[in-house]
Structures are given as C-alpha cells and as structure tokens.
C-alpha cells in the first residue's frame, strides 16, 4: 500500500519577517496547496528523503527567486507603459526577458544534476516537469492581465463569433 507523505517545511517562516512571493501566492491560489506539498506528493518523497529534499528545494527556490522577481518587474513595466512604449524600450524589454529566460534555464540545468543525485533520473525529470508546469501556470496567470493578451482574446472571440455566424 503506497502512501503519500506530506512535506512540511523544515523551518517555519514568520509571515511578518519577509515579504510573500507573488509566485507562491499564485501557485497556492491556483492549486490550493503549497509548492512544497505539490512537489512532495507528486514525487512521493519518503520520510527519509524529506529533509534533504526540502533543503534542495528551498535552495532552488531561493536561487530561482531573483529570476522570477525580474520577470515580474519586466512584465509590470510592460503593463504600466504599454500605450507609450517606443521601439527601443520594447526591444530592451524583450531582450531582457529573453536573457532572463536563458539564465533561468541555466539554473534549472545545474539543479537538474543535483536532483538526479538526490532523487534519481525519473523523479528528477518529474521534478522539472512539475516545476515547468507551475512556472507556466504562473506566467499565464500574470500575462492574462497584460493588454496584448486581452486584445488577442477579444480578437479570438470575434473570429469565433464570425465563424459561427458563417456556419449558420
């Protein structure tokens, strides 16, 4: 009989001591559980693996955080200045987002090697599958509020309505 082990963070955090991270709040609001719980349950982390896994996850999240914060800041600039962005500023924002993505992938590559040693190849692959899924879910949640996406969605709805009208 297999049992899921719920991971509890090794050290409790005082919510007044440090600011909450938007990505963690988004993950919790989308999935109803913490990232730690999602990872531990999905990867079936055993009691014996829990402490070392949570330490590695905490370190990964800490090293990942600056990339997430930078991406959020870049998207915030885009969102706030959408109507007044000129060509050089748009080019700069795009290059910075691409650079951020490349650096983030380098971090993932480094931690993938560590996760292989910790969890084995299959669960390391599963770790990054879940991490990428949570990352993409968070990005979509954030980008849903960006003007460009709203315009595309409006255009898509109009196209679907026209297509339905032509069919009838």
């Amino acid at each position: 009989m297999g049992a899921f082990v719920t991971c509890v963070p090794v050290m409790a955090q005082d919510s007044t001591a440090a600011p909450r991270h938007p990505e963690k709040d988004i993950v919790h609001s989308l999935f109803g559980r913490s990232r730690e719980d999602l990872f531990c349950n999905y990867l079936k982390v055993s009691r014996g693996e829990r402490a070392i896994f949570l330490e590695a996850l905490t370190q990964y999240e800490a090293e990942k955080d600056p990339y997430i914060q930078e991406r959020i800041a870049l998207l915030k600039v885009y969102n706030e200045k959408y109507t007044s962005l000129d060509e050089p500023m748009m080019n700069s924002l795009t290059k910075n987002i691409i650079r951020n993505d490349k650096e983030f992938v380098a971090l993932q590559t480094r931690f993938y090697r560590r996760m292989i040693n910790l969890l084995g190849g299959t669960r390391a692959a599963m770790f990054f599958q879940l991490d990428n899924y949570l990352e993409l879910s968070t990005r979509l949640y954030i980008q849903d509020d960006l003007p460009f996406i709203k315009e595309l969605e409006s255009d898509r709805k109009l196209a679907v309505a026209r297509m339905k009208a032509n069919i009838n």
Side-chain angles (χ1 to χ4, degrees):
M1 183 187 308
F4 286 119
V5 177
T6 300
C7 289
V8 178
V10 178
M11 296 172 22
Q13 295 180 356
D14 179 4
S15 63
T16 60
R20 296 192 50 89
H21 298 285
E23 181 197 22
K24 290 181 181 184
D25 291 340
I26 292 169
V27 167
H28 193 272
S29 70
L30 289 173
F31 300 101
R33 296 195 290 174
S34 70
R35 292 177 66 82
E36 292 85 0
D37 282 345
L38 291 168
F39 277 107
C40 287
N41 287 324
Y42 180 64
L43 299 173
K44 296 182 174 118
V45 175
S46 71
R47 290 184 196 276
E49 296 169 316
R50 183 174 34 208
I52 191 91
F53 173 74
L54 286 175
E55 181 182 321
L57 179 61
T58 300
Q59 184 179 3
Y60 174 67
E61 295 291 327
E63 290 189 36
K64 177 178 153 178
D65 189 58
Y67 300 107
I68 302 301
Q69 295 305 318
E70 180 182 15
R71 174 170 271 282
I72 290 169
L74 290 168
L75 292 174
K76 185 176 179 181
V77 167
Y78 172 80
N79 195 34
E80 289 172 354
K81 299 183 180 198
Y82 174 72
T83 57
S84 63
L85 284 174
D86 60 8
E87 188 79 16
M89 183 64 161
M90 184 63 84
N91 187 31
S92 175
L93 279 170
T94 302
K95 284 181 178 181
N96 283 326
I97 288 172
I98 291 169
R99 178 197 41 78
N100 178 277
D101 285 347
K102 285 180 181 179
E103 291 172 358
F104 179 67
V105 168
L107 172 72
Q108 285 184 311
T109 302
R110 189 166 42 85
F111 268 87
Y112 178 65
R113 290 185 210 108
R114 184 172 178 188
M115 289 298 172
I116 287 174
N117 292 330
L118 184 65
L119 301 170
T122 300
R123 289 195 300 161
M126 291 168 63
F127 174 90
F128 284 100
Q129 179 186 31
L130 179 56
D131 186 58
N132 285 330
Y133 180 77
L134 296 176
E135 174 69 19
L136 288 172
S137 297
T138 301
R139 284 183 181 191
L140 287 172
Y141 183 87
I142 292 168
Q143 288 185 326
D144 190 45
D145 288 334
L146 298 178
F148 177 71
I149 300 301
K150 288 181 181 179
E151 288 177 16
L152 280 178
E153 185 63 19
S154 295
D155 289 348
R156 186 188 67 78
K157 286 178 182 175
L158 281 173
V160 168
R162 286 184 194 137
M163 191 169 64
K164 285 182 179 179
N166 288 336
I167 292 173
N168 295 332

